[in-house]
Amino acid sequence: MPTYREFREQVRRRKRKRALRRALIFVVVVAAVLAAAYGAIRLFGLPGADKSQSTAQSESTAQSTSQSQPVPESGSTSQSESTSQSQPAASLTAQGETAAWDTMQPLEKTLDQTVNSPDFRLLAVPENGQVDMKYFDRTAILGDSVSQGWNVFGTSDMKEHAFVCAYKNIGPSQVVNNEVADPGDGSGREPEAIFDTIINSNPKRLYILLGTNALVRNDDAAEQSYLAYYSQMLDKFREALGSEVAIYVQSVTPVRPGVSQPGLYRERIQRVNNELAKMAVEKGCYFINLHDVLSDENGDLREDLAAADGVHLNEKAYPLLRDYLTTHTVYNPENPYLEGSPYYKAAE
């Protein structure tokens, strides 16, 4: 799979070629119109026809042809727009069917900076150097029972740094409504109002992983409700935390084939992740593709990382997730990059 930077260069080359092709087409059309007009005059000897009429006709035709050509997009006005322009992706075929897991098509971008037909793997934050774990000292992690593994298992040191706010059986709607939930035995805290707890922790960055519970039902209404509440949740966090806080939307984690929950299956999870990636980019957030480290070649949860139910993760998964998160952050000169990383700076 090409890297983020390779895709960015490919997009630039395609835009240059597209502009050149359109210019050539324009010249050819104008020449053809002029030649046809001249040939008609010579062949039929149109009485009363003058050069000004022929020229006006050809210019009018050329102008309409030029106007019909789409104008190539250029420039960007924000980081989120730049991200969506420079990372092409697609997950749908022309007939609207889900594309194969190992195929990709160019991303389609509209003039109002929205993203059509995204592929979450290409809209995700790429590998970008490795940060020290103290990077997570001012980080809040919001999630459901999947994120509770940070507290439950002793295979990762994430809970020693991040503020883990993980609650069983919650989705975006519970966060938007600021419901009270139990953060679990591993947290050492009492039941708390979810949204207020995140805001009061005054985080420098927020990581969100929600979806396993909200997508259990296999119907369109549940999926659309989940996405609508997720959008409201991001808006609410952005308003309360301000633009300086980085918000990372993590992909819904894969599951093993044939799990008992009817709404949790590969194609649906991939479709939802496409929408989450699009949503994150359009709202100025960042998307983290956890499938890079958790899925097998088919896009299913790796068997060696799956809990007995095929939905949750076992203790082996969390060190891998920790290492993945430390190497997939958006560049900031204040990040504590480890020695050997591209952006490492020795202490002065």
Side-chain angles (χ1 to χ4, degrees), residues 233-348:
M233 178 182 66
L234 292 181
D235 291 340
K236 192 173 180 179
F237 274 129
R238 179 58 71 204
E239 181 180 1
L241 295 174
S243 60
E244 298 301 316
V245 175
I247 299 178
Y248 288 84
V249 174
Q250 300 176 88
S251 62
V252 178
T253 51
V255 298
R256 293 294 299 159
V259 297
S260 59
Q261 292 84 343
L264 298 178
Y265 54 92
R266 182 201 314 140
E267 293 78 11
R268 191 190 201 197
I269 291 174
Q270 291 171 5
R271 182 174 68 244
V272 167
N273 281 334
N274 286 339
E275 294 302 317
L276 291 182
K278 170 184 174 181
M279 186 187 302
V281 169
E282 292 178 351
K283 292 182 178 294
C285 304
Y286 307 107
F287 184 76
I288 300 293
N289 178 20
L290 299 183
H291 280 244
D292 269 355
V293 66
L294 295 177
S295 63
D296 58 22
E297 65 277 6
N298 297 318
D300 299 313
L301 178 61
R302 283 169 45 181
E303 187 174 4
D304 62 318
L305 302 179
D309 62 1
V311 174
H312 293 86
L313 309 176
N314 62 30
E315 65 276 7
K316 297 178 183 178
Y318 292 92
L320 298 180
L321 287 178
R322 175 201 59 201
D323 293 344
Y324 188 82
L325 293 180
T326 61
T327 56
H328 290 75
T329 61
V330 174
Y331 171 74
N332 188 313
E334 298 180 359
N335 288 349
Y337 293 102
L338 291 178
E339 186 173 359
S341 293
Y343 310 111
Y344 171 75
K345 294 181 180 180
E348 299 179 353

Side-chain angles (χ1 to χ4, degrees), residues 199-258:
I199 301 305
N200 293 337
S201 70
N202 191 28
K204 191 173 183 178
R205 58 194 64 87
L206 171 62
Y207 282 74
I208 304 173
L209 175 53
L210 293 170
T212 302
N213 299 298
L215 298 173
V216 169
R217 283 173 35 219
N218 188 21
D219 59 72
D220 291 340
E223 185 172 323
Q224 294 306 313
S225 175
Y226 163 77
L227 293 172
Y229 271 114
Y230 210 115
S231 178
Q232 292 181 48
M233 178 182 66
L234 292 181
D235 291 340
K236 192 173 180 179
F237 274 129
R238 179 58 71 204
E239 181 180 1
L241 295 174
S243 60
E244 298 301 316
V245 175
I247 299 178
Y248 288 84
V249 174
Q250 300 176 88
S251 62
V252 178
T253 51
V255 298
R256 293 294 299 159

